Amino acid sequence: MYCGDYIQGTIFPAPNFNPIMDAQLLGGALQGISCEKDVLIDILTQRCNSQRLMIAEAYRDMYGRDLITDLKENLSHHFKEVMVGLMYPPASYDAHELWHALKGVNTEEKCLIDILASRSNMEIFQMKEAYLTQYNSDLQQDIDSETSGHFRDTLMNLAQGTRMEGYADPSTAAQDAMILWEACQQKTGEHKNMLQMILCNRSNQQLWMVFQEFQNISGQDLVDAINDCYDGYFQELLVAIVLCVRDKASYFAYRLHNAIHDFGFHNKTVIRILIARSEIDLMTIRQRYKERYGKSLFHDIKHFASGHYESALLAICAGDAEDY
């Protein structure tokens, strides 16, 4: 558990920022006979999200057009997804990803897990507002209609964004651990319900104590116990919650490695995690990735991606191949 660690992203506000000049350069790059993709990468990956929003405003004033629309019209494939993704404010980007995960041809459960298991109460509140504004639809109702069973119940609970914050009571930690242990033995509907209620509603500080108590009672790590007792997306979601409570950066390092190696470079997952974590903890994720897998994230992206798409992902990763 890395509680006291300094968590760091890879993208910071650019110094000497000039949105009007950036908008002009982007306009030129997008309007030339051949789109100058390097210019797009140099500008959009080297500005923080709030700066990109100011560039979009300057672009609209200057050209009377929407920058996102112009990016969509001029770019294609995964490179387009990266460049367009960078233009959404964080809550809107989460909302956008959730909407497509819920309303696409197939429900993308792993996307729902990644986002809802890892976001704070405030992030969940803002993403629900963005979801309603962008899609005129209620996130919880959509989860309710597009998923099922205990997986759905747990997602619904997370989507309420009502986890206790900062509160910890050592005297109830052993009780909670006992309930979790019983839930791994009995596996009735009621036990599954109690299991997810504890994991979704207790504070992180409380859960650290509960996990320790669980280990004391059962002689087993909670993740291993969940893997032994449950299966399917319910099990994946429970494990994701536990891993995120312990250390989000390690969770995302694991998800990236998974997406790159086990799914033959699952582009959507790689793009989503890199963009969503770029200003929060992507540098820390890179460190965890290198510590855990021996190869750097930079190396693995270079190996599997190519062209401007590769350049854009590496630029979001920041730094060179030598450091992490």
Side-chain angles (χ1 to χ4, degrees), residues 279-315:
E279 290 182 45
I280 303 172
D281 54 4
L282 185 53
M283 187 57 83
T284 313
I285 291 167
R286 284 178 56 189
Q287 289 162 2
R288 301 280 189 271
Y289 192 99
K290 180 76 184 281
E291 285 159 15
R292 184 161 176 185
Y293 303 110
K295 291 246 168 61
S296 70
L297 179 58
F298 207 90
H299 168 278
D300 283 354
I301 290 172
K302 232 174 157 41
H303 185 76
F304 286 98
S306 61
H308 288 98
Y309 174 46
E310 175 201 335
S311 307
L313 292 180
L314 294 178

Side-chain angles (χ1 to χ4, degrees), residues 110 114 251-274 282 285-286 289-290 293 295-305 309-310 313-314 317 324:
K110 285 181 192 300
D114 274 352
Y251 171 73
F252 284 117
Y254 153 72
R255 286 288 294 129
L256 282 167
H257 191 265
N258 222 315
I260 292 170
H261 293 275
D262 298 357
F263 294 97
F265 209 85
H266 193 263
N267 295 286
K268 270 187 170 164
T269 304
V270 175
I271 293 169
R272 183 179 65 248
I273 295 174
L274 291 189
L282 185 53
I285 291 167
R286 284 178 56 189
Y289 192 99
K290 180 76 184 281
Y293 303 110
K295 291 246 168 61
S296 70
L297 179 58
F298 207 90
H299 168 278
D300 283 354
I301 290 172
K302 232 174 157 41
H303 185 76
F304 286 98
Y309 174 46
E310 175 201 335
L313 292 180
L314 294 178
C317 258
Y324 304 112

Side-chain angles (χ1 to χ4, degrees), residues 4 68 76 78 96 105 131-132 149 177 214 239 249 281 292 303 322:
I68 288 187
S76 60
H78 301 309
H96 171 269
V105 185
Y131 193 93
L132 187 60
F214 184 90
V239 166
D281 54 4
R292 184 161 176 185
H303 185 76
E322 296 317 303

Side-chain angles (χ1 to χ4, degrees), residues 43-55:
I43 294 175
L44 296 180
T45 65
Q46 303 305 309
R47 309 287 182 271
C48 69
N49 187 264
S50 59
Q51 290 177 332
R52 289 182 212 119
L53 300 182
M54 290 159 75
I55 294 170

